[in-house]
Amino acid sequence: MLLNAPVTNSEVPNPDPERPNVSITDLLGTVRLDQSKGEPLLTEKILLAMDIINDQVLLLKIETETQIRKYKRAVCYEAAALIGEENLDFDTTTNGQSRGENQQAKAQSLRRIVNHTIADLTNRKRNRVKLV
């Protein structure tokens, strides 16, 4: 994905007032994304990612700078995975199928980072088992 269109640095308010807000600059500074969809899409994906991450760290108080950084990392990578899944290539040619599979693999890789970050945030062990 390429950087190609400027967007403003709007801060997305967290639905949970006890959790940190995440800005578009936080998202773009953490993961490499295509900005061509613009601020509304990026804002919506950040909000959706916040909802997903908030559900996973429901009872956790996020107070320290390290916890805030890990929370924002989890939200940003989850938002990137959501955007990547939404933009899968549905071209029926061999090249299109290959690109779609690569994008799915990237979304899975992003989610793995989210899971590891949440494990670190909640002081759980990282799960390194791959089910076949």
Side-chain angles (χ1 to χ4, degrees), residues 6 8 10-12 14 22 34 40 47-48 50 57-59 75-76 103 107-108 111 122 124 126 129:
T8 62
S10 64
E11 187 166 88
V12 181
N14 201 313
V22 177
D34 181 356
L47 269 174
L48 184 54
M50 283 178 179
V57 295
L58 196 57
L59 301 175
V75 169
C76 290
Q103 289 171 336
Q108 291 170 350
R111 288 261 163 61
T122 57
R124 288 183 292 152
R126 293 180 177 187
V129 176

Side-chain angles (χ1 to χ4, degrees), residues 42-90:
L42 296 175
T43 300
E44 176 58 32
K45 295 306 177 190
I46 290 172
L47 269 174
L48 184 54
M50 283 178 179
D51 289 339
I52 292 167
I53 301 303
N54 287 347
D55 286 346
Q56 294 184 41
V57 295
L58 196 57
L59 301 175
L60 181 68
K61 291 264 188 207
I62 297 177
E63 300 170 331
T64 68
E65 191 63 36
T66 301
Q67 289 174 319
I68 291 170
R69 190 177 68 251
K70 288 177 181 178
Y71 176 83
K72 286 184 176 186
R73 182 184 313 136
V75 169
C76 290
Y77 276 94
E78 180 65 32
L82 292 168
I83 291 168
E85 287 175 342
E86 186 176 274
N87 293 320
L88 287 178
D89 194 346
F90 293 106

